[in-house]
């Protein structure tokens, strides 16, 4: 059995944020029923196409283990079917633009009337306030949540990150809200509304930068490289390049082959506890006791010199050799892995973190499997559904339509080209 066996999810999500959430729920065993506009479906099905005619990787990698029903929720019969789905499901998840569900006639009040036990989970760009009506995408959330202003180098513009902290990050937050609400429902018997704003999700992940904002009132942030370089602080948390956020000096340094390989780099932290090992490894044993180098505060204005010396050593080694040498000495380092290297990493396939999935339209592709491992709820990654692949099955098996009634729904045009 799986952790969420028996839980039915009405998945009204699209693009990335909502689908990442419902994909996790599906991996934990829930029956996820993805409702899609007839003939159109989730817009990502046809975005960033690499195999003509096939669902895109954008869609397939975010919608594993789900079933798809085509349903026009603005058509009268479609609304009837949606009402039946709300009656049958434990959770409705949506990430439409603000007000879209209300415009369909399905306000939270109406949804509760239909099924008082249902949990309704929503992602919006902003929480209540002056921006609540805005449509929001990933990078907007990264900017509004404080991440962009604190990412990048001091002398450059704000940067967005490659990690999708606005979309996938908020999907994760929502997923936690849903399982928590399901847990509470066990005791109260009631459903509730779970809301996550993308701005809030990004801010939550940028928490340490708000920590630094407040520390600025007590003086400069000494662990930031700019302090050692004598550059004054302004009134907001600055961009810190590749400084490590935890107070231990850290940088990204070149490794052997960096001239040709854009990813021949390592992260290197000169953790105070292993300073002596660092000195030995890089051939600077004298720094262990030398005045100006022996203690962390003394080193703050010499970080550029120290990291240059470390880099002189790292450029003689590959990023993996750096790891092999430093790990046994507890010196924290990490190779900069390219997506190609990750795709070729057998170890990640063994743990199920990377998976190969077969798809009828596109053949085999790689995907990220479930990153959360439950010892008593195994995940088997199954391909994403084709548009409307399960329409008839859901109408009959989940909602109990049969015979003339099923024919009536299909003939109404509310459910695409489903066959009775
Ligand atoms: N049947 C009939 N109509 C449907 C439907 C269905 N099965 N599914 C969707 N629609 C309609 C919606 O009701 C809406 O109609 P309306 O504008 O008349 O109310 C319309 O399709 C478009 O939906 P919308 O959510 O506005 O899509 P969009 O492409 O214009 O905007 C986002 C996309 C992501 C910007 C927007 O949905 C959003 O801001 N979502 C919340 C934040 C979010 O999750 N952003 C990140 C996405 S990764």
């Amino acid at each position: 059995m799986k952790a969420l066996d028996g839980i039915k999810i009405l998945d009204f999500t699209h693009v990335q944020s909502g689908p990442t959430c419902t994909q996790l729920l599906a991996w934990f065993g829930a029956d996820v029923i993805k409702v899609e506009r007839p003939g159109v479906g989730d817009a990502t099905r046809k975005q960033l196409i690499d195999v003509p005619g096939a669902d895109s990787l954008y869609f397939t990698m975010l919608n594993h283990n789900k079933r798809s029903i085509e349903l026009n929720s603005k058509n009268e019969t479609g609304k009837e079917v949606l009402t039946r789905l709300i009656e049958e499901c434990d959770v409705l998840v949506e990430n439409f633009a603000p007000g879209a569900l209300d415009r369909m006639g399905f306000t939270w009040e109406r949804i509760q009337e239909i099924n008082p036990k249902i949990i309704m989970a929503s992602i919006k760009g902003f929480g209540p306030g002056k921006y609540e009506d805005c449509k929001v995408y990933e990078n907007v959330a990264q900017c509004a949540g404080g991440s962009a202003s604190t990412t990048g180098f001091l002398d450059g513009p704000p940067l967005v990150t490659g990690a999708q902290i606005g979309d996938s990050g908020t999907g994760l937050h929502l997923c936690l809200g849903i399982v928590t609400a399901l847990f509470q429902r066990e005791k109260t018997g009631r459903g509730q509304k779970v809301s996550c704003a993308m701005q809030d999700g990004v801010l939550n992940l940028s928490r340490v930068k708000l920590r630094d904002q407040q520390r600025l009132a007590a003086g400069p942030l000494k662990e930031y490289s700019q302090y050692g370089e004598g550059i004054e602080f302004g009134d907001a948390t600055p961009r810190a390049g590749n400084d490590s956020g935890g107070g231990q000096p850290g940088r990204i340094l070149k490794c052997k082959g960096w001239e040709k390989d854009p990813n021949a780099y390592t992260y290197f932290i000169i953790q105070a506890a292993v300073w002596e090992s660092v000195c030995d490894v890089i051939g600077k044993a004298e720094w262990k006791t030398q005045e100006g180098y022996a203690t962390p505060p003394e080193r703050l204005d010499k970080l550029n010199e120290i990291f240059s010396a470390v880099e002189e050593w790292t450029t003689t080694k590959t990023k993996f050799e750096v790891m092999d040498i430093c790990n046994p000495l507890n010196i924290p380092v990490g190779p900069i892995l390219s997506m190609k290297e990750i795709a070729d990493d057998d170890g990640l396939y063994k743990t199920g973190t990377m998976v190969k999935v077969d798809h009828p339209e596109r053949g085999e592709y790689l995907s990220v499997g479930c990153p959360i491992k439950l010892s008593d709820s195994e995940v088997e990654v199954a391909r994403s559904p084709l548009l409307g692949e399960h329409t008839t099955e859901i109408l009959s098996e989940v909602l109990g339509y049969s015979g003339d009634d099923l024919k009536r729904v299909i003939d109404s045009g509310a459910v695409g080209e489903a066959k009775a």
Side-chain angles (χ1 to χ4, degrees), residues 14 16-17 71 73-74 95-97 103-104 135-136 167:
H14 65 156
Q16 185 184 161
S17 64
L71 184 67
S73 56
K74 289 181 174 165
N95 68 311
F96 288 126
R103 287 192 287 278
M104 282 178 203
K135 290 188 175 184
V136 168
D167 282 340

Side-chain angles (χ1 to χ4, degrees), residues 268-330:
F268 200 107
I269 302 177
I270 48 172
Q271 190 108 347
V274 292
W275 171 242
E276 299 203 348
S277 303
V278 173
C279 295
D280 286 336
V281 161
I282 65 170
K284 289 279 187 190
E286 66 277 16
W287 280 353
K288 290 197 268 186
T289 50
Q290 190 175 327
E291 200 179 322
Y293 294 85
T295 66
E298 288 176 288
R299 293 195 285 270
L300 288 176
D301 62 351
K302 302 181 190 66
L303 292 180
N304 288 346
E305 180 198 354
I306 292 168
F307 277 116
S308 294
V310 179
E311 192 168 57
E312 238 175 78
W313 177 76
T314 56
T315 44
T316 66
K317 307 274 177 276
T318 68
K319 60 190 176 187
F320 299 110
E321 287 166 346
V322 171
M323 183 96 169
D324 291 344
I325 294 168
C326 292
N327 251 359
L329 301 171
N330 291 329

Side-chain angles (χ1 to χ4, degrees), residues 126-409:
F126 292 95
K130 63 179 171 175
Y131 298 125
E132 67 187 26
D133 291 332
C134 295
K135 290 188 175 184
V136 168
Y137 291 96
E138 172 69 48
N139 289 347
V140 176
Q142 288 198 25
C143 294
S147 173
S149 72
T150 53
T151 304
F153 286 91
L154 199 56
D155 57 359
L159 283 184
V160 295
T161 69
Q164 304 285 284
I165 57 176
D167 282 340
S168 291
T170 310
L172 265 169
H173 282 89
L174 192 73
C175 190
L176 179 58
I178 290 169
V179 291
T180 305
L182 281 168
F183 189 67
Q184 188 173 4
R185 193 180 74 170
E186 287 296 302
K187 296 173 207 153
T188 63
R190 286 192 309 275
Q192 63 181 301
K193 192 167 181 335
V194 179
S195 310
C196 281
M198 293 168 71
Q199 180 184 39
D200 301 4
V202 171
L203 178 57
N204 185 35
L205 298 175
S206 306
R207 185 171 288 260
V208 298
K209 298 296 177 181
L210 185 64
R211 173 200 67 193
D212 293 350
Q213 177 63 42
Q214 296 172 88
R215 288 174 57 230
L216 268 178
L221 307 170
K222 292 187 177 161
E223 76 284 10
Y224 280 52
S225 290
Q226 83 176 73
Y227 174 74
E229 290 163 359
I231 302 171
E232 255 187 60
F233 283 78
D235 61 0
T237 307
R239 291 188 266 292
N242 291 318
D243 286 349
S244 100
Q248 300 287 348
R251 299 268 175 95
I252 287 183
L253 304 177
K254 291 168 185 160
C255 291
K256 197 175 186 174
W258 67 273
E259 297 90 340
K260 292 206 175 129
D261 177 356
N263 295 304
Y265 286 83
T266 185
Y267 200 85
F268 200 107
I269 302 177
I270 48 172
Q271 190 108 347
V274 292
W275 171 242
E276 299 203 348
S277 303
V278 173
C279 295
D280 286 336
V281 161
I282 65 170
K284 289 279 187 190
E286 66 277 16
W287 280 353
K288 290 197 268 186
T289 50
Q290 190 175 327
E291 200 179 322
Y293 294 85
T295 66
E298 288 176 288
R299 293 195 285 270
L300 288 176
D301 62 351
K302 302 181 190 66
L303 292 180
N304 288 346
E305 180 198 354
I306 292 168
F307 277 116
S308 294
V310 179
E311 192 168 57
E312 238 175 78
W313 177 76
T314 56
T315 44
T316 66
K317 307 274 177 276
T318 68
K319 60 190 176 187
F320 299 110
E321 287 166 346
V322 171
M323 183 96 169
D324 291 344
I325 294 168
C326 292
N327 251 359
L329 301 171
N330 291 329
I331 303 172
V333 294
I336 307 303
L337 293 183
S338 69
M339 277 298 158
K340 181 171 187 318
E341 285 164 330
I342 287 173
D344 291 342
D345 186 335
D346 288 343
L348 291 174
Y349 291 91
K350 285 201 183 99
T351 60
T353 296
M354 288 286 300
V355 288
K356 291 181 179 163
V357 186
D358 211 19
H359 188 275
E361 292 173 341
R362 58 179 308 118
E364 190 179 83
Y365 66 95
L366 307 184
S367 194
V368 185
C370 185
I372 303 165
K373 321 289 185 200
L374 273 67
S375 66
D376 206 14
S377 183
E378 215 180 309
V379 174
E380 294 131 38
V381 177
R383 72 166 170 85
S384 57
L386 303 176
L387 178 59
E389 185 173 346
H390 307 98
T391 300
T392 313
E393 181 182 303
I394 289 163
L395 288 173
S396 52
E397 286 173 22
V398 180
L399 304 181
Y401 284 102
S402 63
D404 285 350
D405 213 18
L406 180 61
K407 192 171 175 314
R408 171 183 65 82
V409 171

